[in-house]
Amino acid sequence: MKKLLGLTLAFAALLVMVGCDGEVTLDTPDVTYTVTDNGATLSLSWIEIVDADGYYIIADGVATDTLDDPATVTFNATVPAAVYGVQAYAGEDVSGTDEIDCTPYETTNLTVYGNSDPDPAHHSGFGFNTNGSCVTLAISDSTNWLDIDYYFNDANPTHGPIDIVSPGDHIPPYNTEDNASANSGTDYAGLDIADAPGSYSTQTALADGAVFSLFIDPDADGWDAENDHFGKMSVLSITGSTAPYTVTVTVAYQLVEGLRWCVTD
Amino acid sequence: MRKMALLLIAVVALTMIGCQPPEGLTGGVSQEAFDELKTQVETLQTDLDNVHASLDQLIEDYNALKAKVDKGSKPVPKPPAKGGIKPPTQK
């Protein structure tokens, strides 16, 4: 009888232990974001996940940070990445990952001509579409003017033989945008974040092999996260010994408003 | 034989006399009608000269247009970059 009682108790204990190891189903965090710190920081937030022990922060597929308090539901991402995500965990279990895609749209090998070029088919302006792609635009056609984000000026440059210029600097202005640029060295792939506001000019000398940060400010009101955009541009070549010059560039455009990150590799 | 020759001469003489236009007529047409006809011919000549001149001009225009079209994609030069530039803004 005692033996039977012992077996029963042991079986009951086993059942309790097995029951305690049951898998926990975690909801995937629903991540929202704001851009802060003049575009340097992506502030993530989400609602606390039931049964979670904490959260993993995933940057470009790698868990870079662990938040071990389930009540902590914000994270300031300051290291640029193409994709940021948040995943809840409980013990060994993890939820799905909600991701914010910060991959810039790249347009490669775009040919733009200095505005002293007499050929109307040689476009001197360029602009970014809403999907981030970049197209060249003829400045001689006034119907293009509202879409011009920059133009290359070798007719009356102020900084070098050929400058990248804001459309609002032309007289008469092509539009009212106050777009700026800054020389950021020569490492296009290594430029993960565009220069901070304060170091830009609406006219910058182009240089063969140089990389430029782009600051597109349609409202001409300084940095904000409503409709400002950043990007980077690599000058692949400048041909011509004198004006008119022909310039080939690759550009990357960050679709997240106000965010300066531009991770392209 | 002599009678035959005289008869022939008489016929020829009568024929010549019969072919002469009446007085005041030139080739069977009155001088007035002839002058009018002459004026019309001169007018026609002038019109024809004008048509020739128009055709020459048309051919010239056509050739000029054709030469332009034959240039195909060769661009028409755009006017030099107009306008100026404001001083740059730092931001």
Side-chain angles (χ1 to χ4, degrees):
Chain A
M1 187 64 183
K2 276 186 179 175
K3 198 173 181 179
L4 184 62
L5 182 62
L7 279 171
T8 305
L9 284 173
F11 183 66
L14 183 66
L15 277 180
V16 168
M17 288 175 71
V18 169
C20 286
D21 276 352
E23 191 173 305
V24 175
T25 301
L26 294 168
D27 290 337
T28 300
D30 184 12
V31 181
T32 59
Y33 66 86
T34 56
V35 178
T36 56
D37 190 22
N38 275 344
T41 301
L42 188 68
S43 299
L44 308 175
S45 61
W46 58 95
I47 294 171
E48 183 175 347
I49 301 298
V50 176
D51 294 332
D53 292 338
Y55 309 94
Y56 295 130
I57 304 300
I58 316 289
D60 290 336
V62 177
T64 56
D65 291 275
T66 302
L67 310 179
D68 56 10
D69 178 357
T72 301
V73 291
T74 60
F75 181 79
N76 286 332
T78 56
V79 179
V83 180
Y84 254 94
V86 178
Q87 192 178 52
Y89 72 90
E92 298 295 316
D93 298 319
V94 293
S95 71
T97 306
D98 193 22
E99 295 180 330
I100 306 298
D101 191 351
C102 308
T103 309
Y105 192 106
E106 243 185 333
T107 304
T108 59
N109 296 305
L110 196 70
T111 299
V112 188
Y113 300 85
N115 65 342
S116 69
D117 193 318
D119 188 338
H122 288 176
H123 299 171
S124 302
F126 62 93
F128 296 95
N129 293 320
T130 52
N131 70 350
S133 63
C134 187
V135 294
T136 63
L137 299 161
I139 57 174
S140 55
D141 182 352
S142 61
T143 62
N144 289 331
W145 287 4
L146 285 178
D147 297 323
I148 294 174
D149 287 325
Y150 295 95
Y151 73 100
F152 286 173
N153 175 24
D154 61 1
N156 46 10
T158 57
H159 285 65
I162 180 167
D163 296 346
I164 176 172
V165 178
S166 171
D169 276 12
H170 188 261
I171 302 172
Y174 293 128
N175 57 50
T176 57
E177 294 189 19
D178 193 25
N179 302 333
S181 55
N183 190 319
S184 304
T186 56
D187 185 2
Y188 175 77
L191 187 66
D192 287 341
I193 181 167
D195 288 7
S199 60
Y200 287 84
S201 172
T202 54
Q203 296 171 37
T204 307
L206 292 175
D208 201 345
V211 175
F212 295 84
S213 295
L214 304 178
F215 177 7
I216 296 156
D217 182 10
D219 294 339
D221 59 353
W223 179 86
D224 64 56
E226 289 166 10
N227 59 1
D228 288 355
H229 285 273
F230 287 85
K232 61 182 178 180
M233 177 183 78
S234 174
V235 177
L236 305 177
S237 67
I238 300 177
T239 55
S241 53
T242 57
Y245 297 98
T246 302
V247 186
T248 306
V249 298
T250 284
V251 289
Y253 179 82
Q254 177 54 258
L255 287 158
V256 176
E257 285 93 348
L259 187 65
R260 287 192 280 124
W261 299 356
C262 40
V263 177
T264 50
D265 61 344
Chain B
M1 190 68 183
R2 181 180 283 181
K3 279 184 181 177
M4 285 288 286
L6 283 172
L7 188 61
L8 189 59
I9 289 168
V11 167
V12 169
L14 282 175
T15 303
M16 288 178 69
I17 290 166
C19 286
Q20 288 300 313
E23 196 173 344
L25 292 181
T26 304
V29 179
S30 69
Q31 186 63 44
E32 194 176 73
F34 179 81
D35 289 344
E36 190 179 337
L37 195 62
K38 188 180 173 188
T39 305
Q40 285 180 355
V41 168
E42 285 171 353
T43 305
L44 279 174
Q45 183 69 46
T46 306
D47 289 347
L48 190 61
D49 289 345
N50 289 339
V51 168
H52 273 148
S54 297
L55 274 174
D56 288 344
Q57 184 62 48
L58 198 61
I59 289 167
E60 192 177 316
D61 290 349
Y62 170 78
N63 286 336
L65 187 64
K66 187 171 181 294
K68 208 171 182 179
V69 170
D70 285 346
K71 282 184 179 176
S73 60
K74 284 185 182 174
V76 178
K78 70 179 176 185
K82 291 178 182 173
I85 191 159
K86 294 196 301 188
T89 306
Q90 308 301 316
K91 60 188 299 184

